[in-house]
Amino acid sequence: MFVATLLCDPSSPKLDAALPANLRNAWGGGDVIWLMPDVAAEFALASVPANVEQVWEECQALGVDLVIQPMEGRRKKMLLADMDSTMIQQECIDELADEAGVGPRVADITARAMNGELDFEAALKERVGLLEGLDSGVIETVLATRITYMPGGKELVSTMKANGAYAALVSGGFTAFTASVAAALGFNENRANTLLEEGGKLTGQVAMPILGREAKVQALEEISARLGISEAYVLAVGDGANDLGMLQRAGAGVALHAKPTVQAQAKIRVNHGDLTALLFLQGYAVSDFA
């Protein structure tokens, strides 16, 4: 059995009841179950419809995400999440670069790297190099004044943990940020790169080895093995090209508001919903949120 989930942005509830009802009828599905009024609904299916991609595009035009996945095993035991532009709304290195006066140059490199146009490690080294001499105290300033959390993140982590899941934050960014974000959102652990400092200034270098695409896959392998769970029970979420490895390996890999190259290769795409979409996809109703 499969399950079709339709959802939209909770801040702009506009899922018309006729849409899931019509799709259920057209596809011969089960009863429509509302997970959140006007925001998320689901129904069971015996098989994946042949016209699912066409219907997905039509739903996108309405501001609605459509996901069809196997019913069995969809409630996951581990969350593996990217940080920048996933759990938070910014790219930390772009914010630091803005403080250093090289914002546009670094932002351009970041955008190209996240779309897979540049080698991640080389791009990271180049961007960090442009931060040489920046007062390390700027990190705290950026955390306090520039970083905002992606809507639904706290609910996602709290609800999955309340139901026995483990939450890990894995970022190609920096530990100076992941430690704070992980603590604020309730992650069990975090992994990221380390910016090197000397005399209260950034040296323009990052500790080796650099945590990139393969390190995120390694985190998936190591943590799931340590927990004694199958990778099929891992829910991974990210937006950039360096997330593709873990998105493709996880039982459910969600491209959240992702770059085009990532969307083209991801199993699950969420372009309109926020992070609570990952709870709806597991069958949690809003009344189940922790």
Side-chain angles (χ1 to χ4, degrees), residues 17-235:
L19 181 56
N22 290 342
L23 282 179
R24 182 274 310 272
N25 293 338
W27 287 341
D31 292 340
V32 173
I33 299 170
W34 282 90
L35 303 172
M36 183 175 180
D38 303 321
V39 172
E42 67 176 32
F43 57 87
L45 284 170
S47 60
V48 177
N51 66 337
V52 63
E53 196 63 27
Q54 175 190 336
V55 174
W56 179 85
E57 291 178 357
E58 293 171 353
C59 287
Q60 288 290 294
L62 298 173
V64 173
D65 291 310
L66 167 66
V67 175
I68 297 179
Q69 60 180 324
M71 178 78 78
E72 185 178 355
R74 66 170 168 153
R75 189 158 291 193
K76 304 305 183 186
K77 299 176 181 178
M78 174 179 156
L79 172 66
L80 190 66
D82 172 47
M83 180 180 69
D84 296 275
S85 298
T86 299
M87 298 308 299
I88 62 174
Q89 295 179 302
Q90 295 77 26
E91 295 283 339
C92 289
I93 194 165
D94 291 0
E95 302 303 322
L96 287 174
D98 204 38
E99 292 282 351
V102 290
R105 182 175 175 186
V106 168
D108 176 65
I109 299 171
T110 298
R112 292 165 62 200
M114 290 302 97
N115 198 42
E117 299 169 27
L118 301 173
D119 175 73
F120 178 80
E121 184 168 325
L124 184 67
K125 287 180 178 178
E126 180 180 0
R127 288 175 291 166
V128 171
L130 294 171
L131 302 179
E132 183 179 359
L134 185 66
D135 191 317
S136 57
V138 168
I139 293 173
E140 288 301 322
T141 301
V142 168
L143 273 168
T145 63
R146 290 176 173 261
I147 301 305
T148 55
Y149 295 103
M150 195 71 75
K154 186 72 173 176
E155 292 89 342
L156 172 62
V157 176
S158 298
T159 302
M160 288 190 68
K161 285 179 66 180
N163 285 272
Y166 187 88
L169 187 66
V170 289
S171 173
F174 311 113
T175 53
F177 291 94
T178 58
S180 177
V181 172
L185 295 178
F187 279 91
N188 295 100
E189 69 172 271
N190 69 93
R191 301 184 182 192
N193 294 300
T194 301
L195 283 171
L196 298 180
E197 304 175 26
E198 190 174 302
K201 304 284 186 181
L202 298 184
T203 66
Q205 296 181 317
V206 61
M208 300 298 287
I210 288 176
L211 189 155
R213 176 171 172 155
E214 290 309 311
K216 293 192 177 193
V217 173
Q218 185 179 357
L220 187 155
E221 295 172 343
E222 291 177 356
I223 299 170
S224 61
R226 190 177 77 220
L227 298 174
I229 64 171
S230 163
E231 293 178 9
Y233 282 95
V234 176
L235 171 62

Side-chain angles (χ1 to χ4, degrees), residues 236-270:
V237 59
D239 73 299
N242 63 323
D243 297 316
L244 269 171
M246 71 174 186
L247 295 184
Q248 292 171 334
R249 280 283 291 274
V254 180
L256 183 80
H257 302 182
K259 310 303 180 289
T261 188
V262 181
Q263 290 202 41
Q265 301 177 66
K267 299 175 185 176
I268 299 172
R269 295 161 286 180
V270 172

Side-chain angles (χ1 to χ4, degrees), residues 10 35-36 39-40 75 152-160 162-163 274-290:
L35 303 172
M36 183 175 180
V39 172
R75 189 158 291 193
K154 186 72 173 176
E155 292 89 342
L156 172 62
V157 176
S158 298
T159 302
M160 288 190 68
N163 285 272
D274 63 16
L275 283 165
T276 60
L278 278 65
L279 293 173
F280 295 136
L281 293 177
Q282 295 179 78
Y284 289 103
V286 66
S287 57
D288 300 321
F289 290 5

